[in-house]
Every structure is written in C-alpha cells, then in structure tokens.
Amino acid sequence: MAATGSEKQAAKAYYVSTPIYYVNDAPHLGHAYTTVAGDVLTRWHRQRGEKVWYLTGTDEHGQKIMRTAEANDVTPQAWADKLVEEAWKPLWEHLNIANDDFIRTTETRHTDRVQEFVQDLYDKGEIYKGGYEGPYCVGCEEYKLPGDLIDGEGDFAGQKLCPIHKKPVELLKEENYFFKLSAYGPKLLEFYAVNPDFIQPESARNEVVNFVEQGLQDLSISRSTFDWGVPVPWDDQHVIYVWVDALLNYATAVGYGADQEKFDATFPADVHLIGKDILRFHSVIWPAMLMAQGLPLPGKVVANGWLMVGGEKMSKSNLTGIKPQDLTAHFGVDAYRWYFLRAIAYGSDGSFSWEDFSARYTSELANDYGNLASRVAAMVGKYFGGVLPADTAAGDAELAVREGLAKAVATADRKIGEELDFQAGILAVFDFVKQVNGYITEQEPWKVAKDTTPEGQARLAAVLYTAAESLRGVAVLLNPVMPETSQRLWDSLGAEESLGALADQRVQDAGTWGALPAGATVTKGAVLFPRLEEKPA
C-alpha cells in the first residue's frame, strides 16, 4: 500500500538550504538575498502546517580564508570565530531569519563526518592519486578551464582573469587525490533527463547539461600547498578540497554518520538555494558524490541571479558590497525582506537602486497597503466604536472581493510554495490589496455612513467587515514575507484573542471567508509603513 500524504510528511521534513557562506568578510546584500528567500519559503511551508528544516551556515576552510586571516594577523580559526559571532549570526537575527540550524565547517560534527565520507569513497576505489597543473582562482577556490578565463585590461593587461572575480588566476601544480567524476557524466545526464525540474531556472539547466555533455574531468579533491582544511584521513600531507568539504554540510548538519533517525527524516534537501556562480558545484559535483556513496539526490537546485550595482555583480571584491543594515536602518526590516523578492524575479539578475526601493516603498507599502489598514481601522473606530460589525447585507461587490481573496491565496500558494516565484506570489497579494482599495473607493463608506436607517447601517457594516476580513487574509499571506508587520496588523484587527497566534493560520486557508469574527475589537495602531525622510547622508 502506498504511503499517504500525511505519512510521507511525518517521515520527511521539507528541507531547504542556503549556500554556506565564506567568512573572508562580512555579509552583503547578495548573501542576505538568498537567505531571506529561503526564510520566506520555509516560513510559507511551516504555515502550511508542514514539518520543515531550514539550514544555513558558514564555509571556513580553504586558501582564501587562510590568506584573509594572515592579512589580519590572526589565525584562520580566530578570524572565522570573529566573523561568525560578530557579523553573520547577528545579521540573520536582525533580518528575522528563522533557520533551524547554523552549520560551521570547522565544527567537529562536520569535520569528522567529512573524513568518514571521503575515506569511504577512497576504500571503494572512487579516489586515486595523481597530479594536476592549471589556472586556479583563489576567490572561487576552483581550477579554471582555459576557455573560462577572460583577458585582463589596464593593470591586468596580458594576464588571464577569473570571469567572476576579475582578478588574475594563479598557475598551480601539485600532487593531489582525484575523485572519478568523469565516470558520472552519463549518469548525471540520465538523471537530468528523468528529472527536468532538478536544476532551475531553465537557463541554468541548459548551461549544466551542455557542460556535462562536453565530458567531465576527474575532480581534484585535495590540496597539499596549504594546511587550512580537513586533513585527508589516509594522508595527512593533504587537506580535503574546500568544495568537497563544504558540499557535505548538507548531509553532516542533518545527522549523516551520527544520527540516522534524523538523517532519514530530513535528507536529502528538497531545495538547495544557491547563487548561479556556484551552480556546477551543486548540480554536477554534489550529485555525483551522492551517487558514488549511494545516497539520494536533492529535489531541486535553484540558482538565483546576481544583484547588480552600477552594472557590476554585488560583491566585496568588486567594491559594491552594501551592508543590509544600511537599508534596514532607513526602510525597516520587513520592507527590506519584501523589496528584493518583490522587485527581482528569482533566478534572474536584478539591479538594486535606492531610488527604486524608495519609490516602491512609498507606492506599494505606504500608499496601497499601509494606508488601507489605517483607513479601515479608522472607519471601524469612527462608525462602530472600534467593534467590528457583522456582515448581514453582502452583495455582488462583496462576493467579488471574496473571490479575489480566494484567487490571491491560490496563486500565492502555488507561486511561492511550489514554483519559488516569489515575485509573482507577492504581486498576487498586492493585486488583491489594490482590489480592496478600489472596492472601498467605489462603495464610499463615508457617504453610506450618512444613511442612519437600519438598511444603511447594515450596508456600512458589510463594507467595513469585508475590508477588515480582507486585511485578515492579507496578514496571513504576507506573514512569511513580513512577519513583524503582519503581526501588528493581526493585533490591530482584534484577531489574536479569537483566532490564536498568527503562525497557526495556514496560508492555504487564508481565503476561508468569515474567519474574523464580528465583535472583534479593531484598533488603529501605529502606521504600518511610515512616510520616509529623504535619503540619509
């Protein structure tokens, strides 16, 4: 007998991961973009009533970290400890990231399991000793193919550069251990064909398929020219290649080799959220490693685009790194969480500008959404003493609003929860906000209020109940995106006492009309999105 949906849910968590981020510097908007996306996705699935596991963390080994630590006159471990505790973890807390775990690759729970995994591959004959010489980018921690490089200009004229970091590559020659990656090309192509949604977006899938079809080279999985890494268990003159070390975090963090029950209930990831510059590691090397070990492969690898500033990818090396706190100090955390997923189609490159953020904040958050909440609360207070009236006179106009909410729920749930199209899901909710604003403008409750007959007051009650109940649905739908604002709106609607905590309201049920009970106390609290001053100096 096949397992039911509930049995499957009990057996396997909806597991989402971000990349683990290099600790060579503090996080910027690009890091936060992926992490907020994962947070919204996992909050959405939690609010569906599902079991969820959300993992993020830091990548702390490799030559890049070692050189950064040396430049700051500290040990690599001391540098990593400082950055994690003073920059990375505080930012995720500041941005309201509800991750279930934070994995560091210098933790024993990770390093021990990495050695066991690699030892097992070696014992199976999947790893052999050899030599390699080629161009190496320290920023990427990756040997580059000659065809990947670009010609340098200006100070770098006559040199070959990494296309991502725009810095000269180094020619390295060393004796290494190799993983037989080339043997997995046909298996990977077969897997891609059977699972066409494994790599997203489609442009990323096409890139990977074309790359693998050209033939894979065996992967150097150790380094002997520096010692900051996990030692190769059978040869302590080598450390494990940082990307092999890093990719294994998705297994070690959920109990690989240590907690089989947790591992079985969580692994593999349903969604790996990554930047497109690390696509091949996650869609070629990682699944090949899992195949070699006989482990299940992830559900999806979803590559987001780059955040661009002035036509350049946002990064520290390009001097375009912007601290998220620079924006949250002005716009607020919830607006920050909303903006990037609203303004940029996930999977595509997108340009950031202060002016665009400010314009969207004013138009959509302050004018459309925030003003709607304030108007409705003010009218319930003025005409009904702050007590939500019962709707006994609903007509065609109210039915259209109900249908609009149901449509917004269905669209947002499909787009965010299944397709990871955050922009389309958020727009569906804000289209409904515009519909409710239009409904109030058309119904003119301030004029209806002048009719003091029972029929007139019943009509006024229907309009204001419809508006308030619409806001209840919006609060539920936007809770994964803007949790603090949604809670404030929820409280102002008087919903807490009658309906319980907002987190208990399932997104798929947000369109069930009438959940906000008549008699609830509606209060006009602080403005959800206050008007902003000019851009600070």
Side-chain angles (χ1 to χ4, degrees), residues 49-382:
E50 298 174 18
K51 179 182 176 184
V52 170
W53 195 261
Y54 183 33
L55 174 69
T56 189
T58 45
D59 186 358
E60 303 177 12
H61 288 132
Q63 195 170 20
K64 181 163 60 175
I65 306 299
M66 186 181 72
R67 289 185 178 180
T68 302
E70 290 173 348
N72 286 273
D73 199 27
V74 295
T75 66
Q77 187 66 65
W79 178 258
D81 292 344
K82 177 181 175 63
L83 265 290
V84 168
E85 297 303 328
E86 296 182 8
W88 291 90
K89 285 184 176 180
L91 178 61
W92 296 162
E93 183 176 354
H94 174 66
L95 293 179
N96 227 335
I97 305 300
N99 53 295
D100 295 283
D101 195 2
F102 188 102
I103 182 72
R104 298 181 58 184
T105 57
T106 53
E107 294 177 310
T108 303
R109 63 166 172 156
H110 174 76
T111 58
D112 287 354
R113 304 289 87 76
V114 168
Q115 287 188 309
E116 291 173 8
F117 187 100
V118 173
Q119 180 70 60
D120 196 33
L121 290 184
Y122 182 72
D123 293 343
K124 291 178 178 178
E126 296 283 351
I127 293 174
Y128 65 91
K129 196 171 188 178
Y132 192 83
E133 181 178 8
Y136 189 80
C137 173
V138 176
C140 292
E141 296 280 10
E142 178 188 19
Y143 279 107
K144 296 291 184 179
L145 297 175
D148 292 337
L149 304 178
I150 61 176
D151 292 325
E153 299 177 351
D155 292 342
F156 298 138
Q159 301 183 65
K160 292 293 185 178
L161 310 185
C162 167
I164 296 172
H165 291 91
K166 306 295 193 301
K167 292 185 177 181
V169 293
E170 301 177 14
L171 185 64
L172 292 187
K173 180 179 181 180
E174 58 181 336
E175 184 181 66
N176 296 327
Y177 288 94
F178 287 79
F179 168 58
K180 296 178 180 178
L181 180 63
S182 59
Y184 290 89
K187 297 177 183 178
L188 287 168
L189 291 172
E190 180 183 0
F191 179 78
Y192 301 152
V194 174
N195 300 276
D197 294 333
F198 173 65
I199 304 169
Q200 299 181 11
E202 186 176 0
S203 58
R205 180 184 185 278
N206 293 339
E207 174 192 326
V208 170
V209 170
N210 290 338
F211 174 73
V212 176
E213 284 178 340
Q214 293 172 18
L216 297 176
Q217 297 182 2
D218 288 346
L219 175 70
S220 171
I221 62 101
S222 74
R223 296 289 181 269
S224 57
T225 54
F226 60 90
D227 61 1
W228 179 239
V230 180
V232 169
W234 62 88
D235 187 343
D236 61 9
Q237 298 303 304
H238 292 248
V239 294
I240 296 169
Y241 175 38
V242 66
W243 267 106
V244 173
D245 168 6
L247 288 166
L248 281 167
N249 92 91
Y250 305 126
T252 62
V254 294
Y256 173 77
D259 186 341
Q260 192 64 40
E261 183 177 355
K262 179 180 180 180
F263 188 73
D264 292 342
T266 314
F267 196 83
D270 293 85
V271 179
H272 285 312
L273 298 177
I274 62 166
K276 66 179 183 180
D277 51 335
I278 56 174
L279 175 63
R280 292 178 186 176
F281 297 104
H282 287 80
S283 58
V284 179
I285 296 174
W286 179 227
M289 288 166 56
L290 294 173
M291 287 177 175
Q293 199 66 287
L295 292 172
L297 273 59
K300 295 178 182 178
V301 174
V302 183
N304 61 255
W306 287 341
L307 293 184
M308 314 292 284
V309 176
E312 290 282 345
K313 176 196 174 188
M314 189 172 295
S315 69
K316 292 293 182 183
S317 59
N318 288 336
L319 303 180
T320 54
I322 299 175
K323 293 191 300 183
Q325 296 91 329
D326 295 338
L327 300 183
T328 60
H330 184 68
F331 295 100
V333 170
D334 271 8
Y336 175 95
R337 290 171 57 95
W338 165 86
Y339 169 74
F340 288 97
L341 298 182
R342 155 65 184 91
I344 301 170
Y346 202 76
S348 301
D349 292 346
S351 295
F352 162 77
S353 76
W354 187 283
E355 292 73 20
D356 183 61
F357 195 162
S358 185
R360 292 182 190 276
Y361 177 100
T362 300
S363 174
E364 299 179 42
L365 295 184
N367 292 349
D368 290 347
Y369 183 26
N371 190 45
L372 173 63
S374 295
R375 292 169 71 199
V376 172
M379 287 188 287
V380 173
K382 181 177 181 179

